[in-house]
Amino acid sequence: AQTVTQSQPEMSVQEAETVTLSCTYDTSESDYYLFWYKQPPSRQMILVIRQEAYKQQNATENRFSVNFQKAAKSFSLKISDSQLGDAAMYFCAYGPPSGTYKYIFGTGTRLKVLA
Amino acid sequence: GAGVSQSPSNKVTEKGKDVELRCDPISGHTALYWYRQSLGQGLEFLIYFQGNSAPDKSGLPSDRFSAERTGGSVSTLTIQRTQQEDSAVYLCASSLGAGAWATEAFFGQGTRLTVV
């Protein structure tokens, strides 16, 4: 069965600094998707970034980038130039390959941004 | 609609009462998912719909939980005889299809259920 592990329950970063959130996963599949979702206090889960497992190039979205290490089954999120609005819970998620459907989520990392 | 809509936003109920939680997915999304988020926990998969069918109900924690989807659109999650351990945020998500090749799950804002 697939699992997703986020070992950092809470992280803090100074405004304008860079922070990296860790995520490891386990699967026997070769093709899949990985996601980082942000959940602010409004509870709305917002997609931050998506990585396709068959792509070697790491995904980037403005200040957000990932370090995808397929062999190590590691998928970390780097937030550059942190802003106060980045404060939220961040969830790493494994997206199923075609034909299945069950998204698997980690337990989340609470990110605090210090002014 | 423009996004996934869930109602009510918050629900307080007495132990033993039944509750219904509603999810209105994005128009055209055939796949719909219910997840439960308990305090300090990640998201726990409850049930998945493809159209009106629920091929996988394995995540439902007990027979007090049931869900249906009508017209390939709105879904209702029903919890009978609520217990305090049912207190959680119930999140609904939808996607274009079950396959992940070109989709991601879009989430609603959830229903916070408190059983007192």
Side-chain angles (χ1 to χ4, degrees):
Chain A
Q2 293 89 0
T3 59
V4 176
T5 302
Q6 293 179 251
S7 59
Q8 305 154 315
E10 190 171 293
M11 294 281 286
S12 296
V13 63
Q14 290 286 341
E15 197 175 4
E17 297 294 309
T18 295
V19 65
T20 298
L21 308 185
S22 301
C23 173
T24 59
Y25 61 96
D26 191 23
T27 183
S28 58
E29 303 288 345
S30 59
D31 289 321
Y32 47 87
Y33 277 62
L34 295 165
F35 306 89
W36 278 98
Y37 282 92
K38 171 184 177 181
Q39 186 182 42
S42 68
R43 301 198 305 253
Q44 181 85 52
M45 295 280 280
I46 302 165
L47 178 67
V48 174
I49 200 164
R50 177 178 69 178
Q51 174 77 42
E52 298 155 0
Y54 64 89
K55 288 188 177 179
Q56 301 224 351
Q57 187 173 5
N58 289 326
T60 62
E61 279 292 335
N62 301 314
R63 298 182 294 107
F64 298 87
S65 62
V66 298
N67 183 2
F68 174 47
Q69 302 288 329
K70 190 173 184 180
K73 295 180 181 174
S74 171
F75 183 62
S76 60
L77 174 70
K78 185 171 83 172
I79 306 174
S80 303
D81 185 25
S82 297
Q83 300 175 0
L84 294 177
D86 295 333
M89 282 289 288
Y90 286 82
F91 290 94
C92 178
Y94 169 91
S98 180
T100 62
Y101 46 80
K102 200 177 292 186
Y103 291 82
I104 308 296
F105 287 82
T107 52
T109 296
R110 181 172 300 281
L111 179 66
K112 295 184 177 181
V113 181
L114 308 174
Chain B
V4 178
S5 178
Q6 290 188 248
S7 61
S9 180
N10 293 283
K11 176 72 175 179
V12 180
T13 190
E14 292 181 352
K15 179 181 173 182
K17 300 284 189 182
D18 297 353
V19 294
E20 286 189 351
L21 312 180
R22 176 189 169 104
C23 172
D24 197 346
I26 292 173
S27 179
H29 280 195
T30 61
L32 186 147
Y33 316 79
W34 283 97
Y35 288 86
R36 180 168 71 174
Q37 184 180 17
S38 302
L39 187 63
Q41 302 295 316
L43 275 69
E44 173 190 6
F45 170 81
L46 296 179
I47 189 170
Y48 150 73
F49 285 93
Q50 178 59 43
N52 291 334
S53 301
D56 187 352
K57 305 177 183 179
S58 64
L60 295 178
S62 76
D63 59 8
R64 296 186 294 104
F65 287 72
S66 63
E68 65 175 12
R69 188 179 184 193
T70 55
S73 182
V74 173
S75 177
T76 302
L77 177 69
T78 301
I79 308 173
Q80 296 178 311
R81 305 181 303 281
T82 52
Q83 304 294 314
Q84 288 186 328
E85 61 262 28
D86 299 334
S87 296
V89 174
Y90 290 82
L91 288 164
C92 176
S94 69
S95 66
L96 277 170
W101 298 123
T103 69
E104 69 257 5
F106 291 86
F107 285 82
Q109 290 184 301
T111 294
R112 181 181 297 280
L113 176 66
T114 304
V115 182
V116 297

